[in-house]
Amino acid sequence: MMNEFFNKNIRWPLGCLLIFMCSCFAVTEKESAINNAKSAEAEKIKITEAISTIQKEKHAVLTGDLIMRTGNDFTSDVMRKLSLHDKTYSHCGIASLENDTLFVYHAMGGEWNPDKKIRRDPFELFCNPYENRGFGVYRYLLDENQLGQFTNAAKEYYEQGVTFDMKFDLDTDDKMYCTEYIFKAMNQLIPINTTTINGITFIAPDNLFHIKKCSMIKQIDFH
């Protein structure tokens, strides 16, 4: 009697339910695969467009321009929050056109720069969309002589092999963090304000461009 009751009242509905559930899982997995493929294709298109934009916009960059960028990692997000007025950017460098190649001089640490020395990277690498959400180009109001002093100081620090300052100590010159590098290369040619939080004084990313004698040339958001 129990077997007959099970066959009539439970087995058939249970079998139908199992078939329905398997069908749902198959549809869900298929939809997930389709969505993943669409997401991957969208990301590929975004990267391709970003690379094209970098190639196009670099022609507007001049030697001595301040190049800001927005990294897409946790450390970059922390650096952005140090700015009080404009939290767009996390890192910076100085542009230099040398023998038809546009370079960016910048100070950085971490796993991306094992020897911690100031780097000279091609503009395309500095702004690459794999590690960044966008970049900005800013120009200081400098005469030709001042511009030479600024860029020469940046290159001298590079030649000296100045390393990254993990302590973010503004009082030392043998080691520098990214914004400090720009600040000290400028050497008061244009006054740049400092930021103080909890008694600690430093150069925040927006201190470099949030001034009257600096104008924005380009601001690119890869998203």
Side-chain angles (χ1 to χ4, degrees), residues 200-212:
I200 300 175
T201 299
F202 57 92
I203 308 298
D206 67 343
N207 286 142
L208 298 177
F209 61 86
H210 199 261
I211 54 179
K212 290 183 178 180

Side-chain angles (χ1 to χ4, degrees), residues 63 95-105 120 155 158:
T63 293
S96 178
L97 184 60
E98 303 170 12
N99 297 323
D100 297 326
T101 300
L102 183 63
F103 292 101
V104 179
Y105 289 80
R120 184 185 72 160
K155 293 176 182 178
Y158 169 75

Side-chain angles (χ1 to χ4, degrees), residues 177-211:
Y177 53 94
C178 61
T179 50
E180 179 188 6
Y181 171 53
I182 308 297
F183 174 76
K184 290 186 173 176
M186 184 61 70
N187 192 29
Q188 299 182 349
L189 293 169
I190 290 178
I192 294 176
N193 295 325
T194 59
T195 293
T196 301
I197 298 179
N198 296 329
I200 300 175
T201 299
F202 57 92
I203 308 298
D206 67 343
N207 286 142
L208 298 177
F209 61 86
H210 199 261
I211 54 179

Side-chain angles (χ1 to χ4, degrees), residues 104-116:
V104 179
Y105 289 80
H106 62 116
M108 68 181 299
E111 60 183 342
W112 305 278
N113 191 30
D115 66 7
K116 297 182 176 61

Side-chain angles (χ1 to χ4, degrees), residues 1-205:
M1 292 291 294
M2 287 297 296
N3 288 339
E4 183 178 350
F5 175 81
F6 180 80
N7 290 335
K8 289 183 177 181
N9 297 283
I10 298 179
R11 177 174 290 175
W12 171 250
L14 181 60
C16 291
L17 177 61
L18 289 174
I19 292 173
F20 174 75
M21 290 177 65
C22 289
S23 298
C24 289
F25 288 143
V27 171
T28 300
E29 289 179 359
K30 183 177 181 180
E31 288 179 346
S32 178
I34 292 174
N35 289 335
N36 288 339
K38 288 182 178 179
S39 178
E41 182 63 23
E43 183 67 17
K44 182 180 178 181
I45 292 173
K46 185 185 75 174
I47 292 294
T48 300
E49 291 178 346
I51 292 173
S52 177
T53 298
I54 291 171
Q55 290 292 337
K56 175 184 176 182
E57 300 298 345
K58 77 173 187 177
H59 297 294
V61 180
L62 302 178
T63 293
D65 281 353
L66 172 68
I67 312 299
M68 305 295 301
R69 75 181 187 191
T70 306
N72 57 16
D73 62 309
F74 174 77
T75 301
S76 296
D77 287 341
V78 172
M79 291 300 297
R80 290 192 304 110
K81 293 176 182 178
L82 295 177
S83 294
L84 300 182
H85 304 286
D86 188 330
K87 300 180 184 296
T88 304
Y89 305 110
S90 58
H91 189 56
C92 56
I94 303 173
S96 178
L97 184 60
E98 303 170 12
N99 297 323
D100 297 326
T101 300
L102 183 63
F103 292 101
V104 179
Y105 289 80
H106 62 116
M108 68 181 299
E111 60 183 342
W112 305 278
N113 191 30
D115 66 7
K116 297 182 176 61
K117 293 182 180 180
I118 291 174
R119 294 173 59 103
R120 184 185 72 160
D121 289 328
F123 182 79
E124 295 87 346
L125 177 60
F126 182 85
C127 298
N128 81 83
Y130 299 100
E131 299 170 332
N132 298 286
R133 299 171 189 159
F135 67 92
V137 180
Y138 293 80
R139 189 163 298 156
Y140 290 113
L141 184 59
L142 298 168
D143 61 34
E144 187 174 348
N145 181 56
Q146 291 173 323
L147 181 61
Q149 292 181 53
F150 178 46
T151 55
N152 287 339
K155 293 176 182 178
E156 285 176 8
Y157 287 134
Y158 169 75
E159 295 294 340
Q160 291 168 10
V162 171
T163 56
F164 190 80
D165 187 359
M166 298 298 295
K167 295 182 178 180
F168 289 79
D169 185 354
L170 197 56
D171 293 328
T172 59
D173 292 336
D174 59 326
K175 296 182 179 181
M176 300 179 188
Y177 53 94
C178 61
T179 50
E180 179 188 6
Y181 171 53
I182 308 297
F183 174 76
K184 290 186 173 176
M186 184 61 70
N187 192 29
Q188 299 182 349
L189 293 169
I190 290 178
I192 294 176
N193 295 325
T194 59
T195 293
T196 301
I197 298 179
N198 296 329
I200 300 175
T201 299
F202 57 92
I203 308 298

